[in-house]
Amino acid sequence: MQLDQNIITQLQGLFANLKHQYTLVVDNAGDAKSEELATMARDFAGTSPQISTEVRPADVLRLSILRDGQATGISFRAIPGGHEFTSLILAVLNADGQGKNLPEEVFIRRIAALKTPLRLTTYASLSCTNCPEVVQALNVMALYNEGLEHEMVDGALFQDEVNARNISSVPAVYAGDTLVHIGKASLGDLLAALEEKIGAEPVSAEPIRRSYDLIVVGGGPSGIASAIYSARKGLHVAVVAERIGGQVNETTGIENIPSVSATTGTQLAADLRKHAEIYHIDLLDNRRVEAVIDGETKLVKTNLGEELSAAQVILATGASWRKLGVPGEAEYIGRGVAFCPHCDGPFFKDKDIAVIGGGNSGIEAAIDLAGICRSVVVLEYMDTLRADIVLQEKLATLPNVTVRKAVATKAVLGDGTKVTGLTIAPRDGGDEETIALDGLFVQIGLAANTKPFEELVELRRGEIVIDERCRTSVPGIYAAGDCTTVPYKQIVIAMGEGAKAALTAFDDRIRSAK
């Protein structure tokens, strides 16, 4: 794998201010892939006089990073291309104390408190859009805890290992032979999982208190739009979120934002962060809001023990993939039950799978998976598919896809280690039947992320009820975007609603001040 000149030029700029000496150690197993890794490492090292390579014979392909001759605890059993190329770049920058993903002090203390020695392995796919966030977070942990090591493994290169562990969804994080976490996760999520399953020394229980003029809960398009519009009014604003960008981080292609002919979810998330930083908004990501307490001053409590206060709060928590809620689904998530065809589709090559859901996301998934899988069956609860006609027409041309309508999924079946089939039945209550499958992709839409607010504001079918100006049932608390009753869950609409919520909040603020 050779780096093209454009990438080399960009890396030269990124690495221009490195303070330490870095060595990329390539373990060469004597095969073509090892040679490809060595070539990439040499090209990468050639972008800075602070980086060098060392190639040594070994049994297994591996790339390890040394800083000033000492192990950083970061390694890749992979040729880190695709989405993981960014993980390699950030590993060097983070080891040098650079990069905007470096943790705050509250995280550094918790990372250092993890019980060690601890060796973590993340199985990933180079095409997975969720994997880099997990890989990069665990790499950061290795840098802030000398007893912790982290290795990213490309599942496509080590298929026997993946099969032995029955991994069918990535990212999958292991501590030794113990599965610690599977699926997308923030630094905060991973820390919580490690603290629960591995253990940690006590850290200070004293709450961290901060005050603001306005707090936005949620970092997606609506949340960042709210924050920007509020900050432009001169307010001291914080965004509290699991990750900046929210759900758009999982969207590969975006082509319906006026004036932006095409972008990706990852790029849009980065652009949202960059725009917010211009206005000196406090971006408190990698944490979850556990409660919002009403009062003359609102109190926002996070899972990190923070207590954030403000006169006004905007709820913009978006939505997440809806689950089936049937027996066996939770048990087999990551072992045959999947939600992201782009991330997990390659694990079902030449296998029989089902896609549950006949909307745009379901039919798009079926079309993509038909090129990988032996067979695809689309299961739709309604009498007709809801996807755009152009997608239905494309689906009809695929010989290995069948569509079954008016059927309900009753249970996910498995042998204790992986999915083996589904129990389905006609929607009108006919006899149940079992279909043999290797896996299923759930594509039945989104559910609003409103659980922490169930006792706070009025909800309707799980969505926050708002008026035409984004006011909720509680004075001083506003809501915007996909977590609300506003119709049409689209990025451009979420942005507009976020702006509207911010303008309403500011209008209420100046009126109450008179």
Side-chain angles (χ1 to χ4, degrees):
M1 175 181 171
Q2 289 188 311
L3 303 183
D4 67 37
Q5 189 56 49
N6 287 335
I7 292 176
I8 289 173
T9 300
Q10 292 176 40
L11 291 178
Q12 288 171 339
L14 287 172
F15 297 147
N17 298 314
L18 291 178
K19 300 183 290 292
H20 297 270
Q21 291 288 332
Y22 296 92
T23 306
L24 304 183
V25 179
V26 177
D27 287 350
N28 190 326
D31 55 15
K33 288 295 182 182
S34 294
E35 291 298 332
E36 189 176 339
L37 175 60
T39 298
M40 189 213 74
R42 291 187 185 100
D43 286 352
F44 191 95
T47 63
S48 170
Q50 303 295 108
I51 307 175
S52 61
T53 58
E54 176 187 335
V55 181
R56 61 191 185 189
D59 295 330
V60 178
L61 168 154
R62 179 179 281 108
L63 175 67
S64 305
I65 301 175
L66 306 183
R67 177 181 57 198
D68 297 330
Q70 302 297 314
T72 59
I74 298 171
S75 61
F76 298 81
R77 259 197 291 147
I79 304 170
H83 293 295
E84 291 303 334
F85 188 62
T86 301
S87 297
L88 175 60
I89 296 170
L90 278 174
V92 174
L93 289 175
N94 291 166
D96 212 59
Q98 302 182 47
K100 293 181 179 178
N101 63 322
L102 291 176
E104 304 163 55
E105 182 59 35
V106 64
F107 289 107
I108 293 173
R109 292 201 304 267
R110 289 175 62 189
I111 292 168
L114 288 171
K115 291 186 177 179
T116 56
L118 179 59
R119 183 171 177 80
L120 301 174
T121 304
T122 300
Y123 293 89
S125 165
L126 300 186
S127 63
C128 172
T129 55
N130 292 326
C131 293
E133 183 176 9
V134 170
V135 171
Q136 292 159 22
L138 294 175
N139 284 347
V140 163
M141 289 191 203
L143 293 171
Y144 285 91
N145 187 321
E146 293 183 356
L148 190 156
E149 298 177 19
H150 175 243
E151 181 165 77
M152 173 264 175
V153 177
D154 181 359
L157 287 184
F158 295 90
Q159 194 65 52
D160 290 345
E161 200 169 317
V162 166
N163 292 339
R165 287 187 159 174
N166 292 309
I167 296 170
S168 61
S169 187
V170 290
V173 182
Y174 282 80
D177 293 325
T178 301
L179 179 62
V180 174
H181 181 86
I182 196 158
K184 68 177 183 179
S186 67
L187 176 64
D189 294 328
L190 293 165
L191 258 176
L194 289 170
E195 288 167 341
E196 177 185 352
K197 297 191 177 184
I198 306 301
E201 300 300 329
V203 294
S204 173
E206 182 67 24
I208 299 171
R209 295 182 173 89
R210 304 178 191 175
S211 62
Y212 296 91
D213 296 321
L214 181 143
I215 296 170
V216 179
V217 181
S222 60
I224 296 302
S226 294
I228 289 172
Y229 267 73
S230 298
R232 283 174 60 87
K233 297 294 187 181
L235 302 182
H236 184 204
V237 178
V239 172
V240 187
E242 292 189 37
R243 56 180 176 168
I244 303 303
Q247 187 75 11
V248 302
N249 283 282
E250 299 168 38
T251 305
T252 50
I254 300 171
E255 300 177 350
N256 57 359
I257 299 178
S259 83
V260 181
S261 59
T263 187
T264 65
T266 303
Q267 184 59 53
L268 178 58
D271 291 341
L272 289 170
R273 176 183 287 276
K274 184 177 180 180
H275 197 173
E277 287 171 345
I278 291 173
Y279 292 99
H280 305 292
I281 296 164
D282 282 6
L283 299 178
L284 308 178
D285 55 356
N286 291 307
R287 67 254 286 158
R288 295 186 309 276
V289 168
E290 295 188 332
V292 177
I293 300 173
D294 186 29
E296 185 174 348
T297 298
K298 319 300 180 188
L299 192 65
V300 176
K301 294 187 174 183
T302 78
N303 64 318
L304 300 184
E306 297 161 307
E307 294 184 355
L308 313 175
S309 60
Q312 296 174 308
V313 173
I314 297 176
L315 307 177
T317 46
S320 300
W321 291 115
R322 192 185 302 274
K323 294 181 173 62
L324 294 167
V326 301
E329 179 188 31
E331 179 183 356
Y332 289 103
I333 288 176
R335 296 189 293 170
V337 175
F339 297 88
C340 178
H342 305 291
C343 302
D344 301 331
F347 291 103
F348 296 89
K349 181 178 173 63
D350 298 327
K351 295 183 178 181
D352 302 311
I353 63 103
V355 173
I356 301 178
N360 282 350
S361 60
I363 301 310
E364 288 173 352
I367 291 169
D368 288 344
L369 292 165
I372 300 171
C373 303
R374 180 167 53 205
S375 70
V376 179
V377 57
V378 176
L379 303 175
E380 168 56 41
Y381 184 76
M382 304 304 291
D383 294 323
T384 59
L385 299 180
R386 295 163 287 116
D388 295 341
I389 293 300
V390 64
L391 293 175
Q392 294 188 45
E393 290 174 346
K394 172 63 176 175
L395 189 75
T397 67
L398 303 175
N400 61 337
V401 178
T402 58
V403 177
R404 299 187 62 175
K405 304 170 188 173
V407 295
T409 302
K410 297 294 186 179
V412 177
L413 308 176
D415 62 6
T417 61
K418 63 183 183 301
V419 166
T420 58
L422 285 177
T423 299
I424 62 172
R427 193 187 68 208
D428 59 9
D431 293 338
E432 293 184 355
E433 67 174 290
T434 297
I435 55 176
L437 293 167
D438 299 302
L440 65 146
F441 286 80
V442 181
Q443 300 282 295
I444 56 174
L446 300 170
N449 297 321
T450 56
K451 189 170 181 58
F453 319 127
E454 289 175 340
E455 306 299 323
L456 176 69
V457 294
E458 180 186 356
L459 302 182
R460 184 189 305 146
R461 293 187 297 276
E463 296 179 336
I464 300 171
V465 177
I466 58 171
D467 66 11
E468 72 278 2
R469 293 180 181 272
C470 296
R471 296 187 181 97
T472 71
S473 58
V474 177
I477 298 181
Y478 310 82
D482 288 4
C483 67
T484 74
T485 51
V486 69
Y488 310 119
K489 313 304 186 186
Q490 297 290 311
I491 293 171
V492 68
I493 292 174
M495 288 179 171
E497 290 292 300
K500 187 197 299 182
L503 293 171
T504 300
F506 187 74
D507 191 41
D508 290 350
R509 174 185 289 270
I510 59 176
R511 288 175 184 274
S512 66
K514 290 180 179 179

